[in-house]
Amino acid sequence: MPTDPKRPATGIVHLGLGAFFRAFGCVYVADAMAASGGDWGIVGVSLRSPSTRDALRPHGWSYASVSLAPEGENIRDISVLNDVLVAPEDPAAVLNAMADPGVRIVTLTVTEKGYCHNPATGALNPDHPDIQADLANPLPASAAGYLVRALQMRRAAGHAPFTVLSCDNLPDNGKLVRGVVLDLAHRIDPELAGWIAAKGAFPSCMVDRITPATTPEDVARIAALTGRAGGAPVMHEPFSQWAIDDVFVDGARPDFAAAGAEMVSDVSAHEQMKLCMLNGTHSALAYTGYLAGHQTIAATVADPVFAAYVRRLWGEIMPAVTPPDGVDLRAYAEALFDRYANPAIQHRTWQIAMDGSQKLPQRLLGTIDANLDAGRSVEALCLAVAAWMRYVGGVDEAGASIDVRDPLAEGLAEISAACDGPEDTVAALLGVREVFPADLAERLRPPLTKAALRLWSKGARAAVTEDHQ
Ligand code: CS2
């Protein structure tokens, strides 16, 4: 563990060191330590590629956090990382870092698919190749494997477990990660699972900051501005919101509240609002906008028909959402619109379109389910699901191929290729049980078929245009 005497000692290990956590969690931890002290330095872990580690190392793990407002940008130096490890290069080093008794929290941003769960049910998928590998080998492949094996080491050494804090956009993310960890632990050692269940803590939280992927142009521009070559800057909007269930092992955590986070006793209303109102419309705009030829969310909502479409979506979503105390959903939606329209944020529709099979259930399908139950409109929401179906077919409206990134991409493409027209495609893709539970698939079929017929025949831009048909 690192060593710079000026830096706080390590108290957090973070799994999945992408741009989001460096633009979000690291900034809160830096602010919390600036306000209230504490040894909450972070060891970051890249679960796949060495590129972030290699870019950060020459800068002593510091990087520029670039806030992009319509009126200009603000660059801040973040120096909260003490080390960066690359898991596939040295899994034992990652486990040792996590087992260190000074570490009290393991945070995760491993994306939806990183939990190796079934997106429709939230349960661990025991057939996932990484989980199979983790059952056969004590050096882990999956995030859940790292958590279980490191907790096993801590138990054997007589240390308390760390708190596991998932920062991914999943409903009840704490409960979800607890479920997959306990399931995997149980398969390895039932007593270990009992110890984790009794002594561990898995707070849920709602995270929110739009963080588009950093481009090579961003790196060059920030290097020119800061006079530091290379590096790994992160680009993000000024807005940031973090609501966290305040259940940590021994209460050990940074003073997140001093950094502006909301420490709450039940974060579920925050989570549901954000996943449905923000992520749901983000995905809807990503698929329909991409098909209509829009590269970014800002460009999509600058197109008046999409601006009207996203407001119709919010009109369908709001009745299904119970907001946190004191939050006005209409004002929340208008603030979201301004955030989407921020021209300084180049958030690609293609980036948000990634991994739709893992995102659709919590972003769109829950709302559709609730609206169908209550007899409310699902028209705009169904267009979004139809656009996802069109998108995963892999061919855009001009006949060009789409680079579909999704763990189920291959299977979805095969299903689509065997179909003839929208009705057939809807019927076949509704059979993908990882995404659509059987009862929902049946009820969804008529309105979704209608949306797909409209989308296929008119094209995305005309399909989202309201024509009072
Ligand atoms: C986006 C999110 O890529 C996506 O799927 O919807 O990353 C979104 O930008 C964040 O959740 C905003 O907090």
Side-chain angles (χ1 to χ4, degrees), residues 103-149:
V103 167
R104 307 305 310 273
I105 303 173
V106 174
T107 48
L108 293 92
T109 47
V110 295
T111 79
E112 294 84 353
K113 62 179 177 288
Y115 291 85
C116 304
H117 68 298
N118 176 332
T121 65
L124 180 76
N125 171 9
D127 302 324
H128 192 290
D130 289 351
I131 298 301
Q132 289 289 316
D134 288 349
L135 289 169
N137 183 347
L139 287 179
S142 74
Y146 277 103
L147 293 168
V148 170
R149 292 295 180 182

Side-chain angles (χ1 to χ4, degrees), residues 74-433:
N74 178 44
I75 305 181
R76 181 175 163 193
D77 192 65
I78 301 293
S79 299
V80 76
L81 290 167
N82 281 341
D83 199 3
V84 178
L85 305 173
V86 179
E89 285 178 8
D90 193 351
V94 176
L95 288 177
N96 288 335
M98 295 168 77
D100 187 302
V103 167
R104 307 305 310 273
I105 303 173
V106 174
T107 48
L108 293 92
T109 47
V110 295
T111 79
E112 294 84 353
K113 62 179 177 288
Y115 291 85
C116 304
H117 68 298
N118 176 332
T121 65
L124 180 76
N125 171 9
D127 302 324
H128 192 290
D130 289 351
I131 298 301
Q132 289 289 316
D134 288 349
L135 289 169
N137 183 347
L139 287 179
S142 74
Y146 277 103
L147 293 168
V148 170
R149 292 295 180 182
L151 287 165
Q152 188 176 37
M153 288 163 73
R154 292 176 80 105
R155 177 168 181 248
H159 302 315
F162 42 69
T163 296
V164 178
L165 181 59
S166 163
C167 304
D168 282 295
N169 286 310
L170 287 157
D172 283 333
N173 48 11
K175 204 166 144 200
L176 189 138
V177 69
R178 182 176 192 271
V180 299
V181 163
L182 290 182
D183 188 337
L184 181 60
H186 193 82
R187 289 164 198 264
I188 290 171
D189 171 2
E191 282 183 15
L192 172 65
W195 179 79
I196 298 171
K199 310 241 165 176
F202 298 81
S204 288
C205 72
M206 177 271 254
V207 295
D208 189 7
R209 170 166 265 184
I210 292 174
T211 307
T214 304
T215 64
E217 295 74 40
D218 294 326
V219 176
R221 193 168 57 79
I222 300 306
L225 286 171
T226 57
R228 295 198 314 191
V234 288
M235 323 301 290
H236 55 78
E237 63 174 339
F239 180 91
S240 177
Q241 187 179 9
W242 200 1
I244 311 173
D245 273 343
D246 200 4
V247 280
F248 286 73
V249 177
D250 300 331
R253 58 164 172 78
D255 187 358
F256 289 125
E262 296 158 62
M263 305 307 296
V264 299
S265 58
D266 180 0
V267 79
S268 51
H270 287 87
E271 282 192 322
Q272 190 216 11
M273 174 177 75
K274 194 263 175 171
L275 281 167
C276 299
M277 296 284 287
L278 192 161
N279 297 110
T281 56
H282 238 188
S283 289
L285 291 171
Y287 298 115
T288 55
Y290 182 98
L291 291 173
H294 290 309
Q295 297 275 321
T296 65
I297 291 294
T300 308
V301 298
D303 181 339
V305 305
F306 284 94
Y309 173 57
V310 74
R311 292 202 161 92
R312 290 210 308 288
L313 280 165
W314 281 318
E316 289 183 4
I317 296 166
M318 279 189 284
V321 170
T322 307
D325 281 348
V327 176
D328 175 64
L329 282 181
R330 280 177 196 285
Y332 184 79
E334 278 315 306
L336 287 180
F337 189 88
D338 292 343
R339 291 168 63 193
Y340 292 176
N342 180 349
I345 296 281
Q346 296 293 306
H347 203 181
R348 290 179 68 195
T349 45
W350 177 82
Q351 185 188 347
I352 299 164
M354 263 185 234
D355 295 341
S357 68
Q358 316 291 300
K359 293 175 173 173
L360 249 50
Q362 62 273 14
R363 293 183 177 206
L364 293 165
L365 301 183
T367 311
I368 292 178
D369 202 359
N371 281 8
L372 286 174
D373 264 355
R376 292 188 294 256
S377 169
V378 291
E379 196 193 311
L381 290 160
C382 281
L383 269 174
V385 179
W388 171 75
M389 291 187 159
R390 180 90 214 231
Y391 183 92
V392 299
V395 181
D396 74 12
E397 291 175 358
S401 72
I402 304 174
D403 180 7
V404 179
R405 303 281 175 97
D406 192 293
L408 303 187
E410 220 175 293
L412 295 170
E414 271 167 28
I415 294 173
S416 305
C419 289
D420 186 18
E423 280 179 277
D424 205 19
T425 306
V426 166
L429 287 175
L430 279 176
V432 177
R433 284 290 160 265

